[in-house]
Amino acid sequence: MPANLEDNPGVGIRFNGDDDNGDGIWDLEQYDVKPWWLLPGQVEDDLVRIDLNFGSQNPPAGVTYWLRRSSQDLEVWGGPTKPRPQKAPQGQNVPVAGWFGTYGHPNNPNIIQLPFPKNGVGTLYVEWRSAQAQQSVLTLEAWSGNQKIAEDSVTFYKFRTAVVVISGFTQRPTLDPQQARQQRGWGIFELARELYVTDGYDVHVFGEHEQNRNADRPFGDPYKLIKRAAFQEEVKNVVIVGYSWGGGAAYNLSKFIHDVLALKVPNERLPADLKVPFTAYIDAIKHGGTDAESRRPPKTDF
């Protein structure tokens, strides 16, 4: 992220209230969360990675580094799967503790001293632990004696909107610009990446094949993600964008959400306050057909 955007608008982050490893326990309430569905090279997707570069391979003489959080809504970990800190408190009914919970200053649990990393380069992972709070700031401070000589901060805000982008026939969903440009109609992926990287939205890209073509039974991956986000991550809004057959899939998905909220689908529920404020089609075709998709999705505001 460009330095001028670190605090305004800041970095979006998901509330870690889901259960990615499928053991029936919220991820925020356990260590070593290793989701079963991850492929080699993938990591758990609710924590935000921050790379640290101190500009020197050796620590400056007399300088100490401190990490400060503005609230306990944030926790920091040494890895994407929340590895237990070596000195983390143990025992029955003892809360899960990351770096702040383990190494927090005795007089202020929102401050920890940060060791100078090897060669002046390090990585930490930030977790959002509150369903209610909306914003919190993480600040790295450098002190020489009793004088603060430098600081850098990142403002985190909790996502309340999920953006679902559905690509067209035969397209392979990706946010990687090089992979995108190898496909026809790659502009849908460029749009998704712009929303994700530049505008800071919580974007999820799917292929049209991941969404069922029958509007009455779209229990595909996009709907499953929306349901999980609404119930487990406190997401209140869903934006749906589709290209080609993905436009038809966007209509089907929006219609199904409308029917679930209207209690028209047996044994299926969504939070009553879930909204679809915006949908968009790009060269939309009815999913699985050849006719243009021009119907207005019934749940959308715009």
Side-chain angles (χ1 to χ4, degrees), residues 8-19:
N8 186 18
V11 178
I13 188 170
R14 297 169 185 156
F15 168 53
N16 199 19
D18 54 5
D19 179 23

Side-chain angles (χ1 to χ4, degrees), residues 160-228:
R160 294 177 60 83
T161 299
V163 179
V164 172
V165 177
I166 308 177
S167 63
F169 180 57
T170 74
Q171 288 186 306
R172 301 182 306 277
T174 181
L175 287 173
D176 184 288
Q178 293 184 345
Q179 293 182 14
R181 287 187 171 90
Q182 296 174 8
Q183 306 181 58
R184 294 181 60 185
W186 58 267
I188 186 67
F189 304 122
E190 189 76 10
L191 171 63
R193 181 174 174 79
E194 185 77 9
L195 290 170
Y196 177 65
V197 175
T198 303
D199 297 330
Y201 286 99
D202 186 17
V203 178
H204 306 264
V205 183
F206 296 93
E208 57 81 20
H209 60 280
E210 298 178 86
Q211 178 68 41
N212 289 7
R213 296 178 183 177
N214 188 331
D216 297 325
R217 297 185 59 194
F219 286 97
D221 289 343
Y223 176 76
K224 292 177 183 178
L225 178 133
I226 290 169
K227 184 175 181 179
R228 183 188 73 180

Side-chain angles (χ1 to χ4, degrees), residues 4-63:
N4 64 315
L5 300 180
E6 290 178 350
D7 286 302
N8 186 18
V11 178
I13 188 170
R14 297 169 185 156
F15 168 53
N16 199 19
D18 54 5
D19 179 23
D20 286 329
N21 59 353
D23 64 355
I25 303 174
W26 276 15
D27 293 344
L28 63 84
E29 295 179 347
Q30 59 187 158
Y31 299 106
D32 300 312
V33 179
K34 298 176 181 177
W36 60 269
W37 43 263
L38 292 182
L39 299 174
Q42 291 183 317
V43 296
E44 208 271 348
D45 63 356
D46 294 315
L47 276 61
V48 172
R49 171 177 167 171
I50 294 182
D51 294 325
L52 304 174
N53 190 329
F54 288 78
S56 172
Q57 293 189 352
N58 300 303
V63 177

Side-chain angles (χ1 to χ4, degrees), residues 8-299:
N8 186 18
V11 178
I13 188 170
R14 297 169 185 156
F15 168 53
N16 199 19
D18 54 5
D19 179 23
D20 286 329
N21 59 353
D23 64 355
I25 303 174
W26 276 15
D27 293 344
L28 63 84
E29 295 179 347
Q30 59 187 158
Y31 299 106
D32 300 312
V33 179
K34 298 176 181 177
W36 60 269
W37 43 263
L38 292 182
L39 299 174
Q42 291 183 317
V43 296
E44 208 271 348
D45 63 356
D46 294 315
L47 276 61
V48 172
R49 171 177 167 171
I50 294 182
D51 294 325
L52 304 174
N53 190 329
F54 288 78
S56 172
Q57 293 189 352
N58 300 303
V63 177
T64 58
Y65 297 92
W66 299 82
L67 201 61
R68 182 190 301 270
R69 61 182 180 181
S70 63
S71 71
Q72 297 184 29
D73 306 307
L74 295 180
E75 182 56 283
V76 170
W77 300 88
T81 58
K82 299 178 57 179
R84 180 195 291 267
Q86 290 184 353
K87 297 183 179 181
Q90 301 186 39
Q92 190 174 9
N93 298 323
V94 174
V96 167
W99 286 8
F100 281 102
T102 301
Y103 306 114
H105 193 279
N107 298 326
N108 187 344
N110 293 326
I111 301 175
I112 57 174
Q113 185 169 358
L114 191 68
F116 191 85
K118 183 179 180 180
N119 297 324
V121 178
T123 302
L124 54 85
Y125 292 81
V126 180
E127 177 189 34
W128 188 274
R129 300 183 55 80
S130 171
Q132 285 76 39
Q134 301 302 315
Q135 183 172 295
S136 192
V137 181
L138 189 66
T139 305
L140 176 62
E141 302 176 348
W143 288 75
S144 178
N146 294 324
Q147 182 178 2
K148 182 167 63 176
I149 58 176
E151 71 173 23
D152 193 12
S153 64
V154 177
T155 298
F156 290 87
Y157 59 89
K158 182 171 74 70
F159 284 128
R160 294 177 60 83
T161 299
V163 179
V164 172
V165 177
I166 308 177
S167 63
F169 180 57
T170 74
Q171 288 186 306
R172 301 182 306 277
T174 181
L175 287 173
D176 184 288
Q178 293 184 345
Q179 293 182 14
R181 287 187 171 90
Q182 296 174 8
Q183 306 181 58
R184 294 181 60 185
W186 58 267
I188 186 67
F189 304 122
E190 189 76 10
L191 171 63
R193 181 174 174 79
E194 185 77 9
L195 290 170
Y196 177 65
V197 175
T198 303
D199 297 330
Y201 286 99
D202 186 17
V203 178
H204 306 264
V205 183
F206 296 93
E208 57 81 20
H209 60 280
E210 298 178 86
Q211 178 68 41
N212 289 7
R213 296 178 183 177
N214 188 331
D216 297 325
R217 297 185 59 194
F219 286 97
D221 289 343
Y223 176 76
K224 292 177 183 178
L225 178 133
I226 290 169
K227 184 175 181 179
R228 183 188 73 180
F231 278 116
Q232 300 177 345
E233 298 173 3
E234 297 295 317
V235 165
K236 302 299 182 183
N237 304 289
V238 178
V239 170
I240 308 171
V241 181
Y243 165 68
S244 187
W245 269 5
Y251 172 85
N252 289 351
L253 178 59
S254 182
K255 181 179 184 302
F256 189 74
I257 293 173
H258 172 271
D259 290 347
V260 171
L261 291 172
L263 306 180
K264 295 180 179 180
V265 182
N267 303 317
E268 186 62 27
R269 294 292 181 268
L270 287 169
D273 58 350
L274 182 67
K275 299 184 182 303
V276 183
F278 182 85
T279 55
Y281 296 155
I282 303 173
D283 295 336
I285 304 296
K286 290 184 178 179
H287 201 191
T290 58
D291 295 334
E293 178 60 87
S294 58
R295 296 171 292 179
R296 178 187 175 92
K299 179 60 182 170

